[in-house]
Amino acid sequence: MKYVLVTGGVVSGLGKGVTASSIGLILKACGLRVTSIKIDPYLNTDAGTMSPFEHGEVFVLDDGGEVDLDLGNYERFLDIKLTCDNNITTGKIYQSVIEKERRGDYLGKTVQVVPHVTDAIQEWIERVAKIPVDGKEGPADVCVIELGGTIGDIESMPFIEALGQFSYRVGPGNFCLVHVSLVPILHVVGEPKTKPTQHSVRQLRGLGLTPNLLACRSSKELDDNVKAKLAQFCHVPLSNILTLHDVPNIWHIPLLLKDQKAHEAILKALNLLGVAAEPNLKEWTSRTKVYDRCHEIVRIAMVGKYTGLSDAYLSVLKALLHASVARNRKLIVDWVPAGDLEDATYNEDPEAYKAAWSLLKGANGVLVPGGFGDRGVQGKILAAKYAREHNVPFLGICLGMQIAVIEFARSVLGLHDATSTEFNPETKTPCVIFMPEGSKTHMGGTMRLGSRRTYFEVADCKSAKLYGNVSFVDERHRHRYEVNPDMISPLENAGLSFVGKDETGRRMEIVELPSHPFFIGVQFHPEFKSRPGKPSPLFSGLIAAASESRRTIMVPSNGHAKLTNGNGMCNGHSPKLKAHQKGNGFNSSNGSLNGIYTNGNGVYVDGSC
């Protein structure tokens, strides 16, 4: 087994996850089998209990693991299925060590960070690296390991020590270290500054790790003089100094690595030069070019609770992007804070209320993603009501499905107090109820999690056709509440159709409104299995329906979007693009970051994987 370790220096948010994913992709393009491990130095055993504002979205795996969003990047780039053990946290390691100590496995010895914790880390890496994740038998050829945080963080120290020992343990030719570091360009002097990277590498070497490659994050491509200076002071060959400069979208990052022959440097360090082929990235390159040429825009209103941080809905954004590229559409996501649609906001902040409704009414499609808690729920219900009554394409995911059912019960059945027991445990009209196997006292890992099977009850429905007329689908879940089975008959008699259910027939998985052009709600999270080149069928359906809307938006040669009606007359104005700090830190020269542009609440998503 060969190992590639990706570390980060100077500041966080440089794009280690995208860099690690891109390295994995380029090695896979060389004909190698690749797996990935993400190390998070926090004490949580997993990401399940952390607020999206704190750590971005919680990515859910097939086995029910609630993990860091970077594992979503790995799955999307490499088209693999990881396990919960592919995400190592300090909490998991200490928990395993303490369990061994309680069992007496250490035979009465004093349990210490070195060697017991560091040994546990190394053993975990070796064990998980052998788990096949690509559907084939046997272990992969290369394991790409990303160490979260920044070199010098106190919480990372046990992992740094363990990885230093691990590099010696696996031996030369089996370990390659790629250090991602910032080379800032100060506007005052206008030249790249290498000192932060020099200090970062010096600190890394002092901790027992020597980088084989330097991946330098910078707003512009570094010239040879800067690279030569880094090579001299960081003791890294000049050919192994890579520039990861700002790009229009992160689909370009693997191509940047390939153009700088990063694969050759990594393969040389791993003694694989004679084994691996030249990287074949034709399909990836073609897809990147297709998206770069997209000019006709599709606008989706994202009505959610965490609209202040796009990483909270990262996989949803990626799934929308994959579907948009497949239809040659440039995606604009309008962030609509759900609470701003409510009457209370009209009284407190009329301008925010007006802006939110303007965005909702200007969209080609509406998406209500998953979430927890009652904040903004009334706004989500109003968004679903607007989409239903005005024939606007609608997709509700998890909570988004539940609020669509609640809205229908209130508006069509006349059950004005219909709600979820999550929001009102004493309600007399519970449309959505608590699941019997869930827990109300413990949060972590107590939901209905992971891949579950959904059977289509109606063959001639939109969702079944989108999935290719199969009899069932396996999708990933993360929820505690579900539609009340006692409410199904009156809802279906009024026009809703629950076309997908679980094997018992009592769990509602997919709901449709047959009389609507596109109105679908799903209890599962289809975004987690969307891939570049293989978009989620339901997201494809939403984008297709939204693209057929009479109101379209074109991007003329000057790059400014204009809202037009069906006859092409402009009834909008050119948005002003400004910087919007998000995600992995690969931004383009015109002020975007992670390929995401903002226009008020609007977000242009360009090529993020």
Side-chain angles (χ1 to χ4, degrees):
M1 175 67 69
K2 309 286 186 177
Y3 299 91
V4 177
L5 173 63
V6 178
T7 60
V10 184
V11 295
S12 60
L14 289 177
K16 293 190 305 296
V18 174
T19 303
S21 301
S22 300
I23 288 170
L25 175 67
I26 199 170
L27 292 176
K28 184 178 179 181
C30 291
L32 300 170
R33 292 176 61 197
V34 181
T35 185
S36 294
I37 293 175
K38 171 67 187 295
I39 298 175
D40 284 302
Y42 47 68
L43 276 170
N44 307 62
T45 55
D46 58 41
T49 60
M50 287 188 284
S51 164
F53 281 127
E54 184 80 16
H55 204 69
E57 75 168 5
V58 176
F59 190 81
V60 179
L61 302 170
D62 266 7
D63 65 2
E66 298 173 282
V67 296
D68 183 82
L69 58 81
D70 276 320
L71 274 78
N73 281 329
Y74 305 155
E75 285 205 345
R76 286 186 288 267
F77 269 73
L78 301 175
D79 194 17
I80 55 180
K81 291 182 180 180
L82 300 172
T83 72
C84 61
D85 285 346
N86 288 83
N87 192 190
I88 303 175
T89 70
T90 300
K92 284 181 179 179
I93 294 296
Y94 275 79
Q95 191 176 59
S96 68
V97 169
I98 290 170
E99 286 173 355
K100 285 184 178 180
E101 185 271 333
R102 293 289 86 186
R103 288 196 306 263
D105 291 3
Y106 295 115
L107 304 176
K109 292 185 178 180
T110 303
V111 181
Q112 302 178 89
V113 173
V114 181
H116 301 104
V117 170
T118 52
D119 283 351
I121 293 168
Q122 296 176 67
E123 290 163 6
W124 192 301
I125 291 172
E126 282 193 321
R127 174 176 59 85
V128 173
K130 295 176 182 176
I131 299 173
V133 295
D134 56 2
K136 301 176 182 178
E137 293 184 358
D141 300 310
V142 181
C143 177
V144 179
I145 306 166
E146 179 194 347
L147 176 61
T150 307
I151 294 300
D153 293 346
I154 191 168
E155 60 265 28
S156 299
M157 290 306 178
F159 292 102
I160 293 290
E161 175 63 28
L163 290 164
Q165 294 179 20
F166 189 70
S167 65
Y168 177 76
R169 178 173 171 173
V170 299
N174 295 313
F175 189 88
C176 177
L177 173 54
V178 181
H179 188 58
V180 183
S181 185
L182 178 68
V183 179
I185 297 178
L186 303 182
H187 293 296
V188 177
V189 292
E191 64 178 2
K193 291 297 181 181
T194 64
K195 193 66 71 177
T197 295
Q198 292 179 43
H199 284 305
S200 180
V201 172
R202 185 178 297 119
Q203 191 172 22
L204 187 63
R205 292 168 65 90
L207 294 169
L209 286 169
T210 301
N212 298 90
L213 290 86
L214 273 184
C216 301
R217 282 288 293 115
S218 183
S219 58
K220 298 178 182 178
E221 187 173 359
L222 302 181
D223 59 35
D224 291 340
N225 291 334
V226 176
K227 289 184 178 181
K229 188 175 182 180
L230 285 168
Q232 179 181 1
F233 288 104
C234 297
H235 303 173
V236 175
L238 182 61
S239 59
N240 291 11
I241 308 288
L242 312 173
T243 301
L244 297 183
H245 56 80
D246 295 348
V247 290
N249 63 74
I250 63 172
W251 284 2
H252 286 273
I253 300 303
L255 306 181
L256 271 182
L257 292 174
K258 178 178 179 291
D259 290 344
Q260 296 177 76
K261 300 188 183 302
H263 56 288
E264 292 185 3
I266 295 171
L267 293 173
K268 183 179 180 181
L270 298 177
N271 286 335
L272 289 173
L273 270 178
V275 177
E278 276 295 307
N280 181 2
L281 289 171
K282 288 182 180 179
E283 185 179 342
W284 189 273
T285 304
S286 175
R287 191 181 303 118
T288 303
K289 290 180 178 178
V290 166
Y291 188 70
D292 287 343
R293 292 196 298 265
C294 291
H295 292 292
E296 192 170 350
I297 286 175
V298 59
R299 184 184 288 272
I300 301 296
M302 181 93 78
V303 184
K305 177 179 175 182
Y306 307 110
T307 54
L309 179 68
S310 69
D311 274 2
Y313 303 113
L314 189 64
S315 290
V316 176
L317 285 173
K318 307 307 185 189
L320 285 170
L321 177 74
H322 302 158
S324 300
V325 172
R327 288 194 66 85
N328 291 305
R329 292 292 191 276
K330 186 173 286 291
L331 174 67
I332 294 182
V333 176
D334 282 323
W335 298 104
V336 182
D340 287 357
L341 297 171
E342 299 173 358
D343 291 341
T345 302
Y346 176 76
N347 297 324
E348 297 169 5
D349 191 346
E351 288 300 316
Y353 178 87
K354 181 180 178 181
W357 276 101
S358 177
L359 288 171
L360 182 66
K361 292 179 179 180
N364 302 117
V366 175
L367 192 151
V368 179
F372 298 92
D374 60 356
R375 182 165 63 86
V377 163
Q378 183 58 30
K380 295 176 184 179
I381 290 174
L382 290 170
K385 180 181 176 69
Y386 174 82
R388 181 179 60 81
E389 293 182 343
H390 292 82
N391 287 332
V392 178
F394 173 88
L395 178 61
I397 298 172
C398 197
L399 179 61
M401 168 190 171
Q402 295 170 9
I403 63 97
V405 173
I406 293 170
E407 186 280 320
F408 191 86
R410 290 181 181 181
S411 301
V412 180
L413 293 182
L415 303 174
H416 301 298
D417 59 344
T419 188
S420 168
T421 56
E422 180 182 6
F423 314 137
N424 180 10
E426 307 301 324
T427 179
K428 295 180 180 179
T429 313
C431 265
V432 179
I433 59 172
F434 183 74
M435 291 172 44
E437 75 267 30
S439 171
K440 292 185 177 180
T441 58
H442 289 74
M443 295 179 68
T446 59
M447 292 179 279
R448 190 168 186 242
L449 290 164
S451 182
R452 305 294 179 100
R453 184 155 290 181
T454 295
Y455 293 89
F456 288 104
E457 302 286 318
V458 180
D460 187 26
C461 64
K462 291 184 179 68
S463 51
K465 291 176 181 177
L466 287 169
Y467 277 103
N469 295 313
V470 295
S471 59
F472 63 84
V473 293
D474 295 317
E475 292 281 9
R476 299 175 185 179
H477 293 66
R478 185 177 186 253
H479 64 103
R480 285 191 178 90
Y481 293 81
E482 60 188 15
V483 177
N484 186 351
D486 294 337
M487 292 286 295
I488 302 308
S489 291
L491 288 166
E492 289 200 318
N493 291 337
L496 270 187
S497 180
F498 291 90
V499 301
K501 301 179 182 180
D502 78 336
E503 66 278 2
T504 69
R506 289 186 59 79
R507 297 182 185 276
M508 304 303 117
E509 295 283 0
I510 307 175
V511 63
E512 293 186 9
L513 189 59
S515 60
H516 194 283
F518 189 93
F519 193 97
I520 296 177
V522 292
Q523 187 59 72
F524 48 80
H525 290 263
E527 67 270 21
F528 291 139
K529 294 180 72 171
S530 183
R531 305 284 183 265
K534 292 191 290 186
S536 164
L538 293 172
F539 281 85
S540 293
L542 174 66
I543 294 299
S547 298
E548 293 170 4
S549 174
R550 291 183 62 196
R551 299 168 69 257
T552 60
I553 307 167
M554 299 295 294
V555 179
S557 58
N558 64 6
H560 295 304
K562 292 185 178 181
L563 182 65
T564 67
N565 56 27
N567 59 20
M569 297 298 292
C570 177
N571 59 6
H573 60 272
S574 300
K576 180 181 178 182
L577 301 182
K578 58 182 179 180
H580 189 59
Q581 187 163 352
K582 296 288 182 197
N584 58 50
F586 289 102
N587 66 308
S588 66
S589 57
N590 62 4
S592 70
L593 202 56
N594 186 18
I596 298 177
Y597 304 95
T598 66
N599 169 31
N601 281 338
V603 177
Y604 296 71
V605 181
D606 281 350
S608 313
C609 216

